[in-house]
Amino acid sequence: ERISFDTIVEFSNSLFVLRSRRSIHRTGEHLLLRGAFELVGEEGSNASGLLLLCSPKVQNFDTMKKLGITMGDIPLHDATRDLTLLAEHYTTEQRLLQNLEVMSERVKAEKQRNDEILFS
């Protein structure tokens, strides 16, 4: 869908999310950019152009890897860095917790077998 210059100017104080038309590297993933348009032009005159100040919108390291994005591609001041690290930390903790539960069940089963052997 095409958006006119005037429409962007009208919503220049809004947050925009732009999606690439084509998927990246045959992964099916589309690059999402989140940011705001700033009006540019001669001081005191009407805007003659737009500047998009944006960051890639990613959820986790897997998405970053598929898109070919590194942490260095995300601005230092952007909360995306912290949110991505937090999401990755949470995902890792969930995996470790699941592994711990599986191992705990295995230990209980082994202990029960040992008790059966010792006390039979």
Side-chain angles (χ1 to χ4, degrees):
E1 183 178 328
R2 294 199 179 261
I3 298 174
S4 70
F5 180 84
D6 292 332
T7 303
I8 293 174
V9 169
E10 184 179 338
F11 292 99
S12 64
N13 291 328
S14 299
L15 181 67
F16 287 83
V17 177
L18 304 174
R19 188 186 88 147
S20 63
R21 289 184 180 174
R22 289 184 270 167
S23 60
I24 311 277
H25 302 295
R26 295 181 230 145
T27 62
E29 296 281 335
H30 288 269
L31 177 63
L32 295 176
L33 298 173
R34 182 185 62 204
F37 283 97
E38 293 291 325
L39 303 172
V40 293
E42 297 287 327
E43 192 171 325
S45 68
N46 291 337
S48 60
L50 294 168
L51 176 67
L52 176 61
L53 300 172
C54 64
S55 299
K57 184 176 182 199
V58 292
Q59 304 288 326
N60 54 41
F61 288 146
D62 291 336
T63 304
M64 290 175 67
K65 186 175 180 180
K66 287 178 186 176
L67 295 172
I69 296 172
T70 65
M71 289 300 273
D73 296 324
I74 300 172
L76 292 172
H77 65 275
D78 194 338
T80 302
R81 284 173 164 262
D82 296 330
L83 294 174
T84 302
L85 289 170
L86 188 62
E88 194 65 28
H89 178 73
Y90 177 77
T91 302
T92 302
E93 277 191 3
Q94 290 301 103
R95 279 192 220 129
L96 289 173
L97 186 58
Q98 288 173 349
N99 289 343
L100 182 61
E101 289 172 358
V102 168
M103 295 302 287
S104 179
E105 291 298 320
R106 288 181 184 169
V107 167
K108 284 181 186 178
E110 190 66 32
K111 183 179 179 201
Q112 187 176 12
R113 277 188 285 203
N114 287 341
D115 287 346
E116 288 172 3
I117 291 171
L118 285 173
F119 299 114
S120 60

